[in-house]
Amino acid sequence: MADTEREAMEYDVVIVGAGPAGLSAAIRLKQLDADLNVVVLEKGSEVGAHILSGAVLDPRGLDALIPDWKEKGAPVTIPVKEDNFYMLGEAGQVRIPNFPMPPLMNNHGNYIVSMGNVCRWMAEQAEALGVEVFPGMACSELVYGENGEVKGVVAGEFGISADGTKGDSYEPGMELHGKYVFLGEGVRGSLSKEVIAKYDLSAGKEPQKFGLGMKEIWEIDPAKHKEGTVTHTMGWPLGSKAGGGSFIYHLDNNQVYVGFVVHLGYKNPYVFPYMEFQQFKHHPMVAELLKGGKRVAYGARAITEGGYQSMPKMVAPGVALLGCSVGMVNVPRIKGNHNAMLSGKAAAEAAFEAIKADRSGDELTAYEDEVRNGAIGKDLKKVRNVKPLWSKYGLTASLALGGFDMWCNTLGFSLLGTLGHGKSDADATEPAEKHKEISYPKPDGKLSFDRLTNVAFSFTNHEESQPAHLKLKDPSIPVERNLPVYAGPSARYCPAGVYEFVTEDGKDPRFVINFQNCVHCKTCDIKDPSQNINWTTPQGGDGPNYPNM
């Protein structure tokens, strides 16, 4: 709130987000200079509460940051033993052999992990070095200096009433100032979005592209469990409706991660990503694996998929964007955590050199140079055409062309150059009149579940007396435009059932936002065809409480 007076605390570096990028930056800063004052602010109730990833971890980022991570007890203990790729049809599957795939697709040497638990361990390493880590501290605003630079954030504001006024228990929060501010908020972070817009950091870049990743943890029959097995599928049930696919990772304790990714560039507004996921579990191969098991957790998160050509400029005066705030996922490998760690390390090294030279509040150009020209840039450049090929030519053609281009890039050249993405995911959505409504099977309550039942397994909680953190730029648009033109897609693209159109007693429909259900995936901010929904942070500690994601 603009009229609020707040106390301020001074740090060398202020880091927003206790994910792999932010924690790597904090650790590296203290490795370089134990006297630096470094703080990490995390909106989740604890470190890891809002972390959701597949995840098969390429350990190269961890190797570079903490070479003795095994001796230090990192929760990275399940090596990939078997790697399977399948093309699914409705009743069966075809195994895609591993040998024609480019070497970068090989999962040998990688590990099945809970990134939530990896981040919890990394926070312990950071705190042992003297980093201050504060969970439950949502960063709601940026603080700008006299010259237009980012000089800090507002964190820890609580007690705003539903009408936007200060309630009886109002706490103003604090301003935390830094010589540099790092934003490691993950995909479509609200502060990162503000910085990208304010400093026009996406100028000259391709539109960022996204996917929606949904994930369940299942405990299965021990006789069916194969620790270390990694399976990816493409094809059914998505077919030509949308790009995407699934992952099934066998971790320890008879648990499997069952996940499904839908690329958000789909045209048909009737596509219902959550129901595609639920339908997928009824494929005979998957149903047999899960039969007799039980789902123990659920969550969802958007994924940055634009890759090399969509990465915005990463620095502006006083601020640097890390990890998925930029978009560093290697799409065909479905991996970004290693690059997030490397980006945090690179930002820390650039800030250390700048502070040592008595600089502050300027652009850390050395960080951007390292990302684009170092290991991260090389990783992403090899696969830069896979996503646009998939978007333009569909699954089958893109498998052949994308594989060919990855092989060429592995050998040091590309016949395709760098392809563009064209439209944003919001602009890709077409009017409903161009498409047929899709009928989805009703969840059976055994393998498949309705959204609200599953959201309960994300352990999501929001204080209901606060304002909705999902802001409409124009409250009339959902009913007056999105419903008649696009058949109200927010009722389907949200994997948590936040949005609904309610008609009562013959009255005109009204748009309802059940913000209490929000799992912070950011899909609404990305896919809304009118770009009318602005995702902002609720008060600190609210949202999902993922146990082992």
Side-chain angles (χ1 to χ4, degrees):
M1 293 186 173
D3 61 341
T4 302
E5 289 190 14
R6 297 183 175 92
E7 293 183 21
M9 293 183 66
E10 302 293 329
Y11 289 89
D12 290 306
V13 181
V14 174
I15 300 172
V16 180
L23 290 169
S24 294
I27 289 168
R28 186 60 180 148
L29 282 163
K30 295 295 274 189
Q31 288 174 340
L32 291 166
D33 184 350
D35 294 328
L36 287 173
N37 292 315
V38 180
V39 64
V40 177
L41 303 163
E42 165 58 38
K43 67 180 172 68
S45 60
E46 64 168 354
V47 173
H50 291 178
I51 297 292
L52 187 146
S53 185
V56 171
L57 178 67
D58 181 334
R60 70 178 74 176
L62 208 49
D63 289 340
L65 185 71
I66 308 174
D68 57 346
W69 54 265
K70 286 185 181 179
E71 291 76 14
K72 289 187 172 177
V76 182
T77 57
I78 304 166
V80 175
K81 298 174 184 174
E82 187 178 339
D83 211 357
N84 303 312
F85 294 85
Y86 290 98
M87 181 69 74
L88 300 187
E90 187 169 357
Q93 66 277 346
V94 175
R95 173 86 184 267
I96 301 173
N98 295 57
F99 71 84
M101 296 184 186
L104 64 87
M105 294 295 289
N106 191 336
N107 270 315
H108 179 75
N110 298 330
Y111 294 81
I112 300 170
V113 301
S114 157
M115 278 311 297
N117 290 339
V118 170
C119 287
R120 290 178 178 100
W121 176 81
M122 290 178 70
E124 292 173 1
Q125 308 310 302
E127 289 179 318
L129 292 169
V131 176
E132 295 179 35
V133 180
F134 295 130
M137 294 286 278
C139 296
S140 52
E141 298 176 45
L142 291 166
V143 179
Y144 295 97
E146 294 179 0
N147 299 313
E149 80 280 11
V150 174
K151 75 169 188 178
V153 297
V154 173
E157 188 173 37
F158 290 91
I160 300 174
S161 300
D163 62 2
T165 61
K166 299 173 183 177
D168 293 338
S169 60
Y170 177 73
E171 297 178 24
M174 297 191 70
E175 289 190 8
L176 294 98
H177 299 167
K179 294 171 182 172
Y180 295 99
V181 175
F182 291 171
L183 300 180
E185 300 171 289
V187 181
R188 199 73 164 193
S190 51
L191 301 184
S192 303
K193 187 178 165 185
E194 179 180 330
V195 165
I196 290 169
K198 179 179 175 65
Y199 298 103
D200 199 20
L201 301 185
S202 289
K205 310 297 182 185
E206 283 293 307
Q208 187 58 268
K209 303 291 281 184
F210 299 89
L212 170 59
M214 297 156 285
K215 176 180 173 182
E216 295 171 355
I217 304 178
W218 280 71
E219 291 179 358
I220 65 168
D221 180 347
K224 301 175 184 177
H225 186 256
K226 297 179 180 178
E227 183 177 302
T229 298
V230 165
T231 298
H232 292 104
T233 78
M234 295 171 285
W236 189 87
L238 284 171
S240 61
K241 296 193 290 287
S246 83
F247 59 87
I248 301 173
Y249 302 155
H250 290 243
L251 55 158
D252 52 2
N253 300 320
N254 299 316
Q255 289 193 333
V256 293
Y257 293 146
V258 182
F260 201 79
V261 177
V262 177
H263 299 170
L264 290 176
Y266 58 81
K267 298 177 181 179
N268 185 348
Y270 290 114
V271 168
F272 198 155
Y274 176 84
M275 293 306 296
E276 297 283 345
F277 176 30
Q278 297 307 303
Q279 190 175 3
F280 156 75
K281 290 181 291 176
H282 286 274
H283 187 276
M285 182 181 81
V286 185
E288 178 57 34
L289 175 70
L290 301 181
K291 184 179 178 182
K294 64 176 181 177
R295 161 221 45 186
V296 296
Y298 165 75
R301 193 74 173 93
I303 306 164
T304 45
E305 295 184 338
Y308 184 80
Q309 55 270 61
S310 295
M311 291 193 298
K313 185 180 175 184
M314 298 161 215
V315 294
V319 66
L321 307 181
L322 312 184
C324 278
S325 295
V326 175
M328 299 181 181
V329 172
N330 183 313
V331 171
R333 296 184 76 206
I334 325 178
K335 290 179 180 62
N337 289 306
H338 63 296
N339 285 337
M341 292 179 181
L342 291 172
S343 78
K345 178 175 178 287
E349 290 167 353
F352 165 72
E353 292 295 340
I355 292 169
K356 190 170 69 171
D358 205 27
R359 289 162 41 204
S360 66
D362 59 346
E363 294 190 2
L364 292 172
T365 54
Y367 162 59
E368 175 131 10
D369 291 344
E370 171 57 30
V371 170
R372 294 197 185 274
N373 301 314
I376 298 171
K378 290 172 183 173
D379 184 46
L380 297 179
K381 193 170 184 180
K382 290 177 183 177
V383 301
R384 66 192 181 278
N385 291 324
V386 173
K387 171 72 175 176
L389 283 169
W390 197 336
S391 299
K392 290 179 181 179
Y393 301 114
L395 173 59
T396 306
S398 72
L399 276 176
L401 285 170
F404 174 73
D405 191 61
M406 283 192 285
W407 266 113
C408 290
N409 276 286
T410 300
L411 299 173
F413 68 96
S414 173
L415 298 176
L416 301 178
T418 299
L419 300 177
H421 294 300
K423 296 178 179 179
S424 71
D425 293 331
D427 289 339
T429 313
E430 294 181 344
E433 65 181 13
K434 292 188 175 184
H435 300 275
K436 291 182 179 180
E437 193 167 352
I438 302 168
S439 177
Y440 289 96
K442 186 178 179 181
D444 68 355
K446 296 176 182 177
L447 288 177
S448 51
F449 312 97
D450 66 80
R451 278 184 295 185
L452 295 187
T453 299
N454 238 357
V455 167
F457 284 80
S458 69
F459 313 104
T460 293
N461 182 63
H462 291 87
E463 172 56 55
E464 296 189 19
S465 64
Q466 67 185 303
H469 62 281
L470 303 155
K471 314 287 188 186
L472 299 180
K473 297 173 187 175
D474 181 342
S476 70
I477 282 179
V479 170
E480 294 182 7
R481 175 170 171 77
N482 286 354
L483 186 58
V485 177
Y486 300 103
S490 57
R492 290 177 293 277
Y493 60 56
C494 173
V498 168
Y499 304 101
E500 57 181 334
F501 293 86
V502 177
T503 304
E504 297 165 333
D505 302 325
K507 297 178 182 177
D508 290 338
R510 61 187 178 88
F511 189 56
V512 177
I513 301 176
N514 304 298
F515 76 87
Q516 300 89 340
N517 296 353
C518 180
V519 295
H520 299 197
C521 74
K522 316 289 180 66
T523 302
C524 56
D525 195 300
I526 295 162
K527 186 59 177 172
D528 184 72
S530 303
Q531 287 294 274
N532 189 50
I533 300 174
N534 188 34
W535 193 99
T536 64
T537 53
Q539 67 181 21
D542 287 3
N545 285 281
Y546 294 136
N548 195 29
M549 292 288 197

